[in-house]
């Protein structure tokens, strides 16, 4: 005889399966965010010379840390530098990813598996390792590029200073991120029905026309997704400039907003100001991401309505 389960047990079963994920989410995501917000609303009050056990105490600061962060010229300068960096990285990286995906999706291309592996392989290299590898290639004293140019009597560019520094940092990001974006776009291309390609060929379309007029419009959602990921990665740039900083004087400790957060928290010891700056960066990233996704969704609905 089959025993019937109680209605209460059936209602509790989904929560039992979700419990591990909920616990991990609360411990490693929600709790750190809540603690960062708590720290951002506090500050250290120093009495007298700041000596003794009761001379330094944590007090309520309200929104003063946020006001200081928003008016901090170092944070604004870092945001401007990241903006220039993003204007180089995002178009170049997505353009190369789309180009490689279209080439690999072409009918007469051989060695697709090897090509995907070679293009994707740099993404598997950790960002710090990639920055070190490229840093030694940029450094004049050890770079084979500089030795070759010197042997040929050609001028040696300073890739770790001035305006070339943006290109040097962007090159590391493009080298490491193109493969991931290419895989996303290539997967979307492979999902296009073969009948669409065949109909275009029967209409007399060339491979270039098929790519520009059929493939690119049909993988627009994948392009939007990769653009979204690239924007978030650009706003969170940290490992590349931090790794290259010992090699050049052109990168300060506040070159990017996240580097300023790290300096305030671990070098200066002002964790409350660092928490406020981190919350501001998170809110700006969330606002930009939400605004972009909403604009992309509105455009998609308009195209579907046509």
């Amino acid at each position: 005889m089959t025993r019937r389960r109680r209605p209460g047990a059936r209602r509790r079963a989904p929560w039992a399966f979700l419990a591990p994920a909920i616990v991990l989410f609360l411990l490693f995501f929600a709790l750190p965010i809540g603690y960062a917000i708590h720290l951002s609303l506090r500050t250290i009050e120093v009495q007298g010379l700041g000596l003794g056990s009761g001379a330094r105490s944590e007090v309520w600061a309200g929104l003063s840390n946020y006001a200081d962060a928003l008016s901090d010229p170092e944070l604004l300068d870092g945001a401007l530098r990241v903006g220039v960096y993003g204007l180089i990285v995002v178009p170049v990286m997505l353009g190369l990813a789309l180009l490689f995906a279209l080439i690999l999706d072409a009918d007469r291309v051989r060695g697709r598996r090897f090509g995907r592996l070679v293009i994707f392989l740099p993404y598997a290299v950790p960002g710090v390792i990639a920055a070190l590898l490229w840093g030694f290639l940029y450094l004049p004293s050890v770079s084979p590029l500089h030795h070759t140019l010197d042997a040929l009597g050609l001028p040696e560019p300073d890739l770790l200073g001035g305006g070339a520094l943006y290109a040097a940092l962007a090159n590391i990001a493009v080298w490491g991120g193109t493969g991931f974006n290419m895989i996303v776009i290539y997967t979307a291309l492979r999902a296009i029905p073969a009948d669409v390609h065949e109909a275009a060929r029967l209409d007399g379309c060339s491979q270039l026309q098929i790519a520009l007029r059929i493939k690119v419009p049909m993988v627009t959602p994948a392009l939007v997704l990769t653009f979204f990921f690239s924007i978030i990665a650009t706003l969170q740039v940290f490992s590349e400039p931090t790794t290259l900083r010992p090699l050049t004087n052109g990168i300060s400790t506040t070159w990017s907003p996240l580097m300023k957060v790290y300096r305030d928290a671990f070098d200066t010891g002002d964790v409350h100001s660092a928490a406020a700056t981190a919350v501001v960066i998170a809110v700006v990233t969330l606002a930009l991401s939400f605004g972009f996704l909403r604009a992309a969704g509105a455009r998609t609905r308009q195209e579907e309505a046509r």
Side-chain angles (χ1 to χ4, degrees):
M1 184 175 180
T2 304
R3 181 180 297 179
R4 294 184 178 180
R5 294 185 178 180
R6 297 179 180 179
R10 283 183 291 183
R11 287 194 298 267
R12 290 192 296 268
W15 292 105
F17 287 107
L18 291 174
I22 293 174
V23 171
L24 291 175
F25 174 81
L26 293 175
L27 288 178
F28 297 103
F29 189 81
L31 185 60
I33 291 177
Y35 186 61
I37 295 174
H38 168 75
L39 288 177
S40 68
L41 299 174
R42 313 280 292 183
T43 189
I44 297 296
E45 186 179 72
V46 180
Q47 297 179 358
L49 298 177
L51 304 176
S53 58
R56 303 171 67 90
S57 59
E58 188 177 284
V59 298
W60 176 261
L63 299 178
S64 61
N65 289 328
Y66 291 98
D68 294 339
L70 292 174
S71 61
D72 191 343
E74 292 183 337
L75 179 62
L76 299 178
D77 292 341
L80 180 61
R81 283 189 289 266
V82 169
V84 175
Y85 167 83
L87 290 176
I88 302 173
V89 171
V90 176
V92 175
M93 181 167 59
L94 295 186
L96 289 175
L98 178 61
L99 176 62
F100 290 146
L102 290 173
I103 291 175
L104 293 176
D105 191 59
D107 295 334
R108 298 181 180 180
V109 173
R110 298 179 180 179
R112 286 194 179 94
R113 294 183 179 179
F114 180 74
R116 292 199 304 267
L117 178 63
V118 170
I119 299 173
F120 180 77
L121 190 60
Y123 179 73
V125 179
V128 175
I129 303 300
L132 284 174
L133 293 175
W134 282 103
F136 285 115
L137 292 176
Y138 296 154
L139 201 62
S141 58
V142 297
S143 173
L145 173 63
H146 286 268
H147 290 310
T148 303
L149 293 176
D150 182 58
L152 296 175
L154 299 176
E156 303 177 16
D158 183 13
L159 298 176
L160 294 176
L165 179 61
Y166 289 96
L169 290 171
N171 175 66
I172 300 174
V174 170
W175 180 79
T178 300
F180 170 81
N181 294 304
M182 182 272 298
I183 290 295
V184 175
I185 299 172
Y186 178 75
T187 304
L189 287 172
R190 300 304 294 175
I192 298 176
D195 296 342
V196 177
H197 296 170
E198 187 64 26
R201 293 192 196 96
L202 293 176
D203 289 338
C205 293
S206 63
Q207 289 292 331
L208 181 60
Q209 290 174 330
I210 293 175
L212 297 179
R213 298 182 180 181
I214 296 177
K215 292 183 178 181
V216 173
M218 294 189 72
V219 298
T220 299
L223 292 174
V224 171
L225 181 64
T226 53
F227 182 80
F228 175 70
F229 287 156
S230 301
I231 289 294
I232 294 178
T234 299
L235 295 174
Q236 296 177 350
V237 59
F238 176 79
S239 60
E240 292 87 353
T242 301
T243 305
L244 293 182
R245 198 174 72 83
L247 304 180
T248 176
N249 295 325
I251 301 177
S252 64
T253 56
T254 59
W255 192 89
S256 72
L258 285 186
M259 292 179 67
K260 182 183 184 305
V261 172
Y262 182 89
R263 188 206 64 178
D264 292 344
F266 299 105
D267 294 342
T268 309
D270 190 358
V271 294
H272 304 283
S273 176
T277 306
V279 172
V280 169
I281 296 172
V283 170
V284 171
T285 303
L286 179 62
L288 291 176
S289 303
F290 178 77
F292 171 73
L293 288 179
R294 188 170 182 178
R299 182 177 179 181
T300 302
R301 287 191 295 270
Q302 290 177 357
E303 293 179 352
E304 292 177 352
R306 294 176 183 176

